[in-house]
Amino acid sequence: MTRIAAVAPVYRNAATLAPLADRLAVALTGRDWVLRLVVDACPEGSADEARRLAAADDRVRATVLPVNGGQHAALARGLAAEADADVWVCLDADLQDPPEAVPLLVDRLVTGGLGAVFAGRRGTYESRLRRATGTLHRRVAARLTGLPPDAGAFVALDRTVRTTVVSEVLAGRAPSVVLAVARARRPVVSLPVERAVRPAGRSAWTAGARLRQSARSLAWAVRTRGR
């Protein structure tokens, strides 16, 4: 049986962690799975909730980071902590990434000879400005890296790609999990997945932070093109 390790970075998501675990359990009924919650030095109760869930269900694990490192560093730490799996899935903890789509990504990965399967972004869960900015950034990055233009951090990874993502992100050689996937040079695809509006909490990302991350990502893609 394929063992699935789902990894979710947590920041200001205390209200959505229990629904995330519950919905993932239903979506993966009959499968072997674990959920690693990586609390990114959040001061608003997320660590307590993550530990409570881990104590109640041995399929849920909690990592609480002492220093905030950002979404992608948290994902890499969670991927590194879950070595005993066959497939790894990264998804947000705020329920914008629907847990019900995890089996779709996993099944496509294990039957298609692929290194990664992205959940292609669909839906109106973002503001018009953020959606337009993100679309432009992703299209440019796709041309430079060969990744799908709708690729995001909701993604299923095989062992080779997971190993590459962990090493590249934690060593600071790639600015995001998404771009680190490109360094593995494995076949990738995206499948359309409708996103939901965040039901509770708020993003840790400001508009300025998003623009800076986009600029860093594009600069990295230009520097490493063809390597």
Side-chain angles (χ1 to χ4, degrees), residues 5-177:
V7 178
V10 178
Y11 195 86
R12 297 173 177 165
N13 303 126
T16 58
L17 296 186
L20 170 64
D22 290 344
R23 287 171 58 180
L24 190 67
V26 172
L28 296 178
T29 297
R31 305 195 191 211
D32 185 8
W33 64 274
V34 296
L35 170 63
R36 172 71 62 171
L37 301 171
V38 185
V39 183
D40 197 14
C42 175
E44 297 185 3
S46 294
D48 290 341
E49 179 66 0
R51 290 189 181 106
R52 184 189 70 79
L53 292 170
D57 187 338
D58 60 8
R59 297 172 299 184
V60 180
R61 289 93 179 266
T63 296
V64 180
L65 303 179
V67 178
N68 182 275
Q71 175 190 15
H72 296 279
L75 280 170
R77 290 285 296 273
L79 292 169
E82 291 297 336
D84 186 22
D86 302 300
V87 174
W88 292 261
V89 179
C90 301
L91 76 165
D92 284 345
D94 61 7
L95 298 179
Q96 284 191 324
D97 296 340
E100 293 77 13
V102 169
L104 176 72
L105 304 183
V106 170
D107 292 345
R108 183 69 175 89
L109 183 76
V110 299
T111 61
L114 299 164
V117 178
F118 291 96
R121 298 167 183 266
R122 299 293 188 275
T124 56
Y125 63 100
E126 297 177 313
S127 69
R128 183 176 299 177
L129 176 61
R130 179 180 165 188
R131 191 162 60 249
T133 303
T135 298
L136 177 61
H137 158 240
R138 288 189 288 271
R139 284 178 178 172
V140 174
R143 285 183 173 273
L144 294 171
T145 63
L147 294 173
D150 56 359
F154 187 12
V155 58
L157 312 173
D158 76 352
R159 181 170 296 277
T160 297
V161 178
R162 172 257 182 189
T163 300
T164 299
V165 167
V166 169
S167 62
E168 293 294 302
V169 174
L170 292 185
R173 291 188 295 266
S176 73
V177 167

